[in-house]
Amino acid sequence: MSLLVVGTVAFDAIETPFGKTDKIVGGAASYIALASSYFYKDIQLVSVIGDDFPDSFLNTLKSQSVKLDGLQIKKGEKSFFWSGKYHNDLNSRDTLDTQLNVLANFDPIVPENSKECDFLMLGNLVPAVQKKVITQLKKRPKLIVLDTMNFWMDIALDDLKENLKLIDVLTINDSEARQLSGEYSLVKAAQKILAMGPSTLVIKKGEHGALLFNKKEVFFAPALPLEEVFDPTGAGDSFAGGFIGYLAKTGDISFENMKRAIIYGSAMASFTVQKFGTEKLIGLTEKEVNERIQEFVSLVQFDISLVS
């Protein structure tokens, strides 16, 4: 089995109440690929960068068994750049600068050896670009997961809704779920969104955990209480990477196994927020990952006796 990851590999400049960075590596596909690589070792990346991108990070991806055949490098051009400032609650932020650069004309090309992938993770991108990837595949993957955001709901809603008919799992946050559905109740929102096409919905709630829905069942996983959170950028993408990486590793896409995948995704997100950018996702040991997952298990596991 193989996992195809599509999204941005980019530069970010971030300011939070705990500090600020100059230009550092970011991008949805960077976080997704790194997080999933701790569970699965047959990952192909499709993205685009300029020739200003550091070889050191590309070598890091290769060392994590991420194949870069589908990574386009545009000579003489600059990589996508985003700059943002987070408010004190770390749940809201202001975009200070966005430079599309190579992303403005990104035409994804899926390598021949990935056109029959078993798992497809479509990171946050222009819906039309996400669809281009799906249409290049020679067979339908076992599972297609798509992440999106409110920006595309604002300017490309029709294209996004067309994509929802082609996928299995949608991952969005709570405000995006409300915007897409027009419902404030997340339970009502989930049922409306599931009627648009996907069989499963993940609603990410940041420090308040994540919800997993299908048309009959609901599952909730809490976030790990952390003493310090430095940078929430990429947490949702790391969550998606852990989620799809675990599903690809097990090959089991049942709702029961997706519950476990939610925990794996939450664990990887909890690492990401502890440092700026992708730093914390690089060089984790198997022991560290397993211990973090066990923390989540301990957080939610308990016995109870019903009182009659």
Side-chain angles (χ1 to χ4, degrees):
M1 289 189 286
S2 59
L3 167 59
L4 178 61
V5 172
V6 184
T8 53
V9 175
F11 288 123
D12 292 333
I14 300 159
E15 182 176 351
T16 79
F18 303 100
K20 62 187 299 184
T21 71
D22 293 322
K23 190 180 287 187
I24 59 174
V25 171
S30 301
Y31 289 102
I32 293 168
L34 285 172
S36 59
S37 71
Y38 286 97
F39 311 111
Y40 195 66
K41 296 301 182 184
D42 188 4
I43 303 169
Q44 178 69 259
L45 177 68
V46 168
S47 189
V48 61
I49 55 175
D51 60 8
D52 57 344
F53 211 80
D55 289 338
S56 57
F57 184 73
L58 302 184
N59 290 332
T60 295
L61 289 174
K62 291 176 185 176
S63 72
Q64 293 289 112
S65 301
V66 179
K67 300 179 181 66
L68 303 181
D69 309 54
L71 178 64
Q72 301 174 31
I73 303 176
K74 301 291 186 179
K75 291 185 177 181
E77 297 187 48
K78 292 183 177 180
S79 303
F80 175 69
F81 171 75
W82 174 84
S83 175
K85 180 178 180 179
Y86 285 88
H87 298 183
N88 286 334
D89 63 1
L90 292 178
N91 289 321
S92 53
R93 69 189 185 191
D94 298 319
T95 293
L96 304 179
D97 189 16
T98 300
Q99 299 173 22
L100 290 177
N101 298 327
V102 293
L103 200 62
N105 298 304
F106 178 38
D107 185 15
I109 300 173
V110 178
E112 202 63 34
N113 59 6
S114 294
K115 289 184 177 178
E116 296 188 27
C117 63
D118 298 288
F119 293 85
L120 171 60
M121 178 68 230
L122 294 165
N124 179 35
L125 272 176
V126 183
V129 173
Q130 293 174 322
K131 188 174 182 179
K132 276 187 177 181
V133 172
I134 296 174
T135 57
Q136 288 179 57
L137 303 182
K138 292 181 178 179
K139 67 168 188 176
R140 196 187 193 289
K142 187 172 183 177
L143 191 76
I144 301 177
V145 181
L146 181 145
D147 187 53
T148 192
M149 66 182 298
N150 52 359
F151 181 71
W152 307 122
M153 296 174 196
D154 291 336
I155 70 166
L157 183 59
D158 289 342
D159 287 346
L160 175 58
K161 285 185 173 181
E162 283 301 308
N163 285 355
L164 295 183
K165 299 173 184 177
L166 305 175
I167 66 166
D168 303 296
V169 182
L170 174 66
T171 67
I172 50 178
N173 67 31
D174 46 359
S175 65
E176 291 158 353
R178 291 183 171 113
Q179 179 175 341
L180 182 58
S181 66
E183 296 283 354
Y184 183 80
S185 161
L186 291 180
V187 175
K188 289 182 178 179
Q191 295 311 312
K192 275 199 173 181
I193 293 169
L194 291 171
M196 297 177 186
S199 57
T200 308
L201 172 67
V202 177
I203 298 180
K204 300 170 287 186
K205 292 171 58 64
E207 63 179 323
H208 302 297
L211 288 158
L212 176 70
F213 293 89
N214 65 15
K215 291 183 178 179
K216 296 181 179 179
E217 302 168 274
V218 182
F219 174 73
F220 171 74
L224 190 68
L226 296 168
E227 286 189 20
E228 294 183 314
V229 174
F230 280 89
D231 175 20
T233 311
D237 299 312
S238 301
F239 173 93
F243 178 81
I244 193 71
Y246 176 76
L247 292 176
K249 176 183 179 180
T250 59
D252 179 355
I253 59 172
S254 67
F255 192 79
E256 281 300 310
N257 201 48
M258 285 189 185
K259 292 179 183 179
R260 301 182 188 96
I262 288 283
I263 300 300
Y264 278 75
S266 299
M268 300 315 294
S270 74
F271 281 121
T272 299
V273 301
Q274 292 183 301
K275 296 285 186 180
F276 281 101
T278 58
E279 181 182 349
K280 188 67 175 180
L281 284 181
I282 297 171
L284 290 170
T285 65
E286 184 177 356
K287 182 174 182 288
E288 286 177 304
V289 174
N290 288 340
E291 286 177 350
R292 182 60 56 90
I293 292 166
Q294 187 56 50
E295 286 186 65
F296 274 89
V297 173
S298 300
L299 189 66
V300 299
Q301 198 171 50
F302 61 92
D303 294 317
I304 189 169
S305 297
L306 296 177
V307 178
S308 58

